Amino acid sequence: MTRRARIFVAGHTGLVGSHLFRKLKEKGYTNLVYRTRKQLDLRDQEKVYDFFKRERPEYVFVAAARVGGILANRDHPAEFIYDNLAIQTNVIHTSYLLGVKKLLFLGSSCIYPRNCPQPMKEEYLLSGYLEKTNEPYAVAKISGIIMCQAYNQQYGTNFICAMPTNLYGPGDHFDPKSSHVIPGLISKFHEAKTLGRKFVEVWGTGKPMREFLFVEDLAEALIFLMENYNSSEIINVGTGEEISIKELAEMIKGVVGYQGQIKFDISKPDGTPRKLLDVSRISSLGWRARVGLKDGLAITYAWYLRNCKKLDSRKTHYNCKTAKH
Ligand code: GFB
């Protein structure tokens, strides 16, 4: 990928896309193509085709997706499967039709079976049943992987698939009802601190184990893979380290500086008991994550304090500014 290559970042205002976009610019890639959701609905096949025909991207990052935390997935299963299938199908198929040189599709660690042996190796894909709370999302992501592999096999394309673990960082979605655990807990602890609440509710039992990757590390990894990886085999991107939700909640409480109690709300789902990626494949290529969880949380909270000041009309959370380019 030369510095003048025409690169389309699908989803450039999202958590992953915005960091990827900035890092590409920092590295001297100047010919970036992008559209906001308002300008181009990636679920619309005809519009996607017209856009590709006009802009002729040579490289494509598929960072556009409908994402959300455990409750958003459970409560909006139809939107999670439809939007993701439509977006990725249109972008992957059009990339094939219009001769894109290389495409990177972003999956997720939830593509692996619920009771997968740990750490999860790439070859465990489709070896067991999925976790129910995010099955529609996982099935969409698995379809994207199989589609890339099928196109590589039949049409000789170079479509690669990266599987990131749970992500967090500046620019995340902080509405505690629908967000992932880290932004959700940052919001809740911050509000409890500012509004003098006695306790904060953490969902589930606190026992599930998760691995968290700072989004800037992922952005680095995606560029590294676009530059160095050319295989149909999926590739995990993570830190190789895990933490329980209880320990994570204590850590976030410390970063925010909240003094009250933590209560576990066991009426809320735990989801997958454990999700730790085996990162030996990407490590053997020479890539590893740099930002530790505590540092990443401090950076994220500092961003939250700078950008999330306006109290939502329901007074449940502070609204954040979105990424601008
Ligand atoms: O981040 P999260 O929603 O994603 O939840 P998943 C992780 C764990 O944190 C679960 C617990 O056990 C939650 O019950 N948790 C505790 C909380 N308190 C909270 C809270 O305030 N908010 C949230 N959100 N969780 C998602 C999938 O699963 O992972 C997606 O639903 C995607 O499809 C994503 O794959 C990476 O790891 O459970």
Side-chain angles (χ1 to χ4, degrees):
M1 192 163 69
T2 66
R3 295 294 186 268
R4 287 295 305 147
R6 218 158 155 64
I7 305 167
F8 173 40
V9 180
H12 77 290
T13 58
L15 175 63
V16 175
S18 59
H19 288 273
L20 174 61
F21 191 87
R22 206 193 60 246
K23 281 232 181 289
L24 283 165
K25 271 184 161 173
E26 280 169 13
K27 286 180 189 289
Y29 293 101
T30 49
N31 207 352
L32 304 183
V33 185
Y34 51 94
R35 290 290 185 280
T36 61
R37 197 175 311 174
K38 232 174 159 183
Q39 293 166 328
L40 173 64
D41 183 351
L42 293 169
R43 296 170 302 180
D44 186 324
Q45 191 179 34
E46 215 176 303
K47 290 203 172 111
V48 171
Y49 185 84
D50 290 345
F51 162 76
F52 268 70
K53 202 141 189 235
R54 214 174 320 117
E55 297 292 343
R56 291 284 172 179
E58 298 167 279
Y59 294 85
V60 173
F61 288 92
V62 192
R66 173 171 289 275
V67 296
I70 193 163
L71 287 199
N73 269 271
R74 191 196 62 183
D75 299 341
H76 302 275
E79 289 163 58
F80 274 79
I81 193 158
Y82 174 76
D83 288 353
N84 287 308
L85 280 177
I87 292 168
Q88 68 202 36
T89 301
N90 291 339
V91 175
I92 295 169
H93 186 65
T94 311
S95 294
Y96 151 64
L97 288 178
L98 293 177
V100 163
K101 287 186 184 150
K102 187 167 179 179
L103 171 147
L104 187 151
F105 173 68
L106 235 90
S108 162
S109 57
C110 68
I111 55 145
Y112 293 110
R114 179 177 204 273
N115 296 316
C116 198
Q118 306 284 323
M120 303 184 290
K121 291 183 196 294
E122 287 88 349
E123 58 262 36
Y124 298 157
L125 174 65
L126 292 174
S127 62
Y129 293 109
L130 296 166
E131 156 65 26
K132 282 286 168 204
T133 52
N134 57 33
E135 194 175 57
Y137 177 77
V139 166
K141 289 291 183 186
I142 293 170
S143 304
I145 296 168
I146 304 295
M147 189 165 171
C148 288
Q149 293 174 338
Y151 279 47
N152 292 342
Q153 188 189 330
Q154 187 177 342
Y155 303 134
T157 47
N158 188 4
F159 294 171
I160 63 170
C161 302
M163 297 308 117
T165 192
N166 286 35
L167 302 167
Y168 71 102
D172 208 340
H173 175 71
F174 283 85
D175 179 345
K177 286 200 178 66
S178 55
S179 69
H180 288 103
V181 60
I182 290 183
L185 290 184
I186 287 179
S187 277
K188 288 192 206 171
F189 281 118
H190 177 76
E191 278 159 41
K193 185 175 95 168
T194 17
L195 305 174
R197 294 205 179 111
K198 291 214 162 51
F199 65 89
V200 163
E201 278 189 349
V202 173
W203 298 346
T205 60
K207 290 187 184 134
M209 303 294 291
R210 291 288 184 275
E211 176 188 12
F212 296 99
L213 179 67
F214 191 57
V215 66
E216 285 189 25
D217 274 335
L218 177 71
E220 286 280 355
L222 299 180
I223 298 171
F224 173 83
L225 291 171
M226 194 59 126
E227 287 169 342
N228 297 292
Y229 189 70
N230 294 299
S231 165
S232 265
E233 299 295 331
I234 62 174
I235 185 159
N236 291 338
V237 189
T239 61
E241 286 170 21
E242 61 183 338
I243 184 172
S244 72
I245 295 301
K246 182 171 187 288
E247 288 166 315
L248 173 76
E250 299 285 356
M251 201 186 259
I252 296 176
K253 180 182 158 180
V255 168
V256 171
Y258 173 65
Q259 306 287 339
Q261 305 290 312
I262 290 176
K263 282 191 186 173
F264 289 96
D265 175 2
I266 56 163
S267 71
K268 299 284 193 309
D270 268 345
T272 313
R274 205 174 159 205
K275 246 193 306 189
L276 176 66
L277 292 177
D278 181 312
V279 290
S280 17
R281 183 169 289 170
I282 195 163
S283 306
S284 71
L285 297 176
W287 185 87
R288 65 178 181 83
R290 288 165 203 257
V291 183
L293 183 56
K294 210 157 180 196
D295 289 345
L297 289 176
I299 298 169
T300 308
Y301 183 50
W303 184 91
Y304 174 87
L305 288 177
R306 285 197 307 279
N307 293 281
C308 310
K309 292 183 178 148
K310 206 172 141 239
L311 199 58
D312 175 68
S313 56
R314 290 171 291 157
K315 300 207 172 8
T316 56
H317 66 287
Y318 293 87
N319 280 323
C320 305
K321 284 186 201 149
T322 48
K324 288 211 169 54
H325 298 292

